[in-house]
Amino acid sequence: YMSEDERDGLLYRFRPQTWGDLSEGDLEALAVSRDDGSTSWVPVRGIGAPGSPRTRYDAPGAKEFAGCEGIALAGDDVLYMATKGDGRILRLDLARSLLTLYWEGPPLGGPDNLAVHDNTGNLFVCEDGDNMEVVLITPDRHADPFLRFVDGHDRSEVTGAAFDPSGKRLIVNSQRAPTPTTFDEVIDGGVPWPLGRTYMVSGPF
């Protein structure tokens, strides 16, 4: 599965002809076929080669999403999607081919990258700007801020949340936070922006 961070981006899936071999297969895009959120997949006709239509304009019937960047699988049958253009978290039930609204509104703003904690099913949502929080949404749809970046994180965004294999450590980044070491100290020339920071939060979760 692959998201597309464009105002009219699509959600794609690639089905390899032989499992594990990505050299051949079918590229498809999600379509929402009815008002009840029933979904199907339509073929992407081109490959986005130079001079040809962009892939998102070459999949007739596909559903457009407003800034779909963050996606995360929960088990084998559920895919969560963040559409920061309209501030929503969507839930795609892959087994039932059904797309539903999972969360919209406070305390979440600018939802972006996502991570699922496998043991609890909790969804951790990174904010692109807003008040620089990671928001936790439980399986029974209760949402609360989990952490917030404060001093020194102006004009940054929270990115790349991921759990280590044990599920006891959350790795998360502030994309443009100031860093103790800059390129100026490593190579000749100047870099006008901070390089970001990576943090680890220890559980249990």
Side-chain angles (χ1 to χ4, degrees):
Y1 297 96
M2 182 175 66
S3 59
E4 188 170 35
D5 186 14
E6 298 284 353
R7 59 180 175 79
D8 54 356
L10 307 183
L11 178 73
Y12 301 93
R13 75 174 181 183
F14 181 75
R15 295 193 299 159
Q17 195 171 82
T18 302
W19 181 253
D21 179 1
L22 302 182
S23 62
E24 291 184 275
D26 297 314
L27 182 63
E28 300 170 320
L30 186 72
V32 178
S33 47
R34 294 201 301 271
D35 291 341
D36 64 358
S38 297
T39 63
S40 58
W41 296 90
V42 298
V44 177
R45 298 183 301 190
I47 58 172
S52 66
R54 296 177 183 268
T55 53
R56 66 182 182 276
Y57 303 140
D58 209 8
K63 168 69 175 175
E64 296 179 358
F65 296 99
C68 178
E69 184 169 350
I71 57 174
L73 275 170
D76 296 326
D77 295 333
V78 172
L79 180 76
Y80 292 103
M81 309 163 49
T83 55
K84 64 185 177 185
D86 54 14
R88 294 178 169 184
I89 303 294
L90 305 175
R91 182 183 187 274
L92 176 58
D93 187 322
L94 298 167
R96 298 171 56 206
S97 299
L98 189 66
L99 183 70
T100 55
L101 177 63
Y102 191 69
W103 189 267
E104 182 179 26
L108 190 59
D112 203 332
N113 296 167
L114 306 175
V116 176
H117 186 255
D118 289 337
N119 294 340
T120 62
N122 289 334
L123 181 67
F124 290 75
V125 184
C126 299
E127 291 185 331
D128 182 351
D130 197 60
N131 55 3
M132 288 289 294
E133 290 181 339
V134 175
V135 175
L136 186 158
I137 307 176
T138 64
D140 60 356
R141 302 193 189 190
H142 183 82
D144 278 308
F146 174 76
L147 67 83
R148 178 183 294 180
F149 292 97
V150 285
D151 296 338
H153 298 271
D154 297 339
R155 297 182 298 279
S156 187
E157 61 180 280
V158 189
T159 65
F163 285 94
D164 79 328
S166 73
K168 296 179 180 178
R169 297 178 182 88
L170 173 67
I171 313 300
V172 67
N173 309 283
S174 176
Q175 190 177 80
R176 288 177 288 275
T179 47
T181 303
T182 69
F183 279 125
D184 289 339
E185 299 170 304
V186 179
I187 60 174
D188 293 333
V191 178
W193 60 84
L195 302 179
R197 289 184 179 180
T198 297
Y199 298 85
M200 182 177 72
V201 182
S202 296
F205 291 92

